[in-house]
Amino acid sequence: MRKRDATTAPSIAEETEDRAFVTALARGFDVLRAFTAEDPILGNGELAERTGLPKATVSRLTHTLCRIGCLLYLPRFAKYRLALGLVPLGQLALANLAVRQVAAPLMRQLAEETDASVSLGSRDGLHMLYVEHVSPRSAVALRLEVGSRIPLGPTAMGRAYYAAADAAERAALEAGLAAADPVHWPALRDGLQEAAALHAALGFTASVGDWNRTVHAAGAAFALPGGGGIVALNCGAPAFLLSRQRVLEEIGPRLAAVARRIEALAGAPG
């Protein structure tokens, strides 16, 4: 199996013997996923390091992505950034995700009542991608927005997703996480297993400084009706505002209740 950098999201299907899987297409998306809010401008060398792909392959991919309007080359830096050609696709995907409209008012209410940020996300490889985000009106809040990507393994949202996944998807995620970060995999595995047990018993997961020592959060997830996949919620705040006890005794149960309400509304006939 080809080893990839832990900062990227492996295309899990590529690691299987799926004859219908188009590797070149997956590699192109791996390049696009390497760009983040923290690193919006990257060169071929950096992209090769992040994706685990040969630099010659990356050069062909970035050339092609520029030609089709997905990347923009910046001659001054000899690097690339995501191009505006991707915006309509992202907007269309969000517009077609009806659960956002159902979830938003309930998320807003929870954020204001708990003074914590609330987000809705779906899986993107080995990361979770924010598709909706609500911050409280307080001056102190987590600075993440729609489009932010966070790691799946150590976060409350990612752990909730794992807890709601079926056995086959869990196994694929475990294999991908172990390959991407073998050093930290034992700790990630323990956290995922504990989260799955907590979610099964109480309807939520927790990440108390496990991803970022300054952030405490709870997570909850559920499957959308009609095979629409799994979505996950988190509710979190800076650690000095949100103790472990409050996460487990207040935030987690309240988030689980909101998740159940969204699930019911999302499945209700229109």
Side-chain angles (χ1 to χ4, degrees), residues 6-43:
T7 60
T8 63
S11 302
I12 293 175
E14 186 183 354
E15 311 298 350
T16 71
E17 296 180 358
D18 185 351
R19 294 184 179 180
F21 187 78
V22 182
T23 300
L25 180 61
R27 288 175 173 175
F29 275 98
D30 284 345
V31 168
L32 295 176
R33 289 192 185 102
F35 293 88
T36 66
E38 294 75 23
D39 295 302
I41 301 175
L42 298 170

Side-chain angles (χ1 to χ4, degrees), residues 242-264:
L242 198 59
S243 67
R244 176 185 181 87
Q245 181 178 4
R246 190 174 172 221
V247 169
L248 297 175
E249 296 181 2
E250 177 194 350
I251 301 299
R254 294 187 66 169
L255 184 66
V258 168
R260 290 193 297 269
R261 179 62 175 156
I262 296 172
E263 181 180 13

Side-chain angles (χ1 to χ4, degrees), residues 50-67:
R50 289 172 178 234
T51 60
L53 297 170
K55 190 172 180 180
T57 299
V58 170
S59 296
R60 292 195 298 272
L61 289 170
T62 51
H63 173 77
T64 302
L65 290 167
C66 282
R67 290 287 301 273

Side-chain angles (χ1 to χ4, degrees), residues 99-190:
V99 70
R100 293 176 65 238
Q101 285 71 45
V102 172
L106 295 170
M107 292 169 60
R108 169 65 64 187
Q109 182 179 357
L110 181 62
E112 295 300 339
E113 291 176 352
T114 60
D115 207 27
S117 297
V118 183
S119 302
L120 177 74
S122 60
R123 185 170 73 84
D124 179 21
L126 297 181
H127 291 75
M128 298 299 296
L129 176 70
Y130 280 13
V131 298
E132 188 62 84
H133 177 79
V134 178
S135 292
R137 292 189 177 91
S138 62
V140 180
L142 302 180
R143 299 304 175 193
L144 292 169
E145 300 295 341
V146 172
S148 296
R149 292 168 69 239
I150 60 174
L152 187 149
T155 60
M157 178 184 281
R159 289 172 173 178
Y161 184 98
Y162 173 88
D166 61 25
E169 188 171 9
R170 284 189 188 184
L173 286 170
E174 290 167 1
L177 289 166
D181 193 358
V183 173
H184 296 105
W185 167 238
L188 289 176
R189 178 190 57 213
D190 291 346

Side-chain angles (χ1 to χ4, degrees), residues 186-209:
L188 289 176
R189 178 190 57 213
D190 291 346
L192 289 169
Q193 292 175 349
E194 291 173 5
L198 184 63
H199 200 278
L202 300 177
F204 68 89
T205 63
S207 178
V208 183

Side-chain angles (χ1 to χ4, degrees), residues 211-229:
W211 170 45
N212 183 327
R213 63 183 179 82
T214 67
V215 176
H216 291 175
F222 58 90
L224 293 171

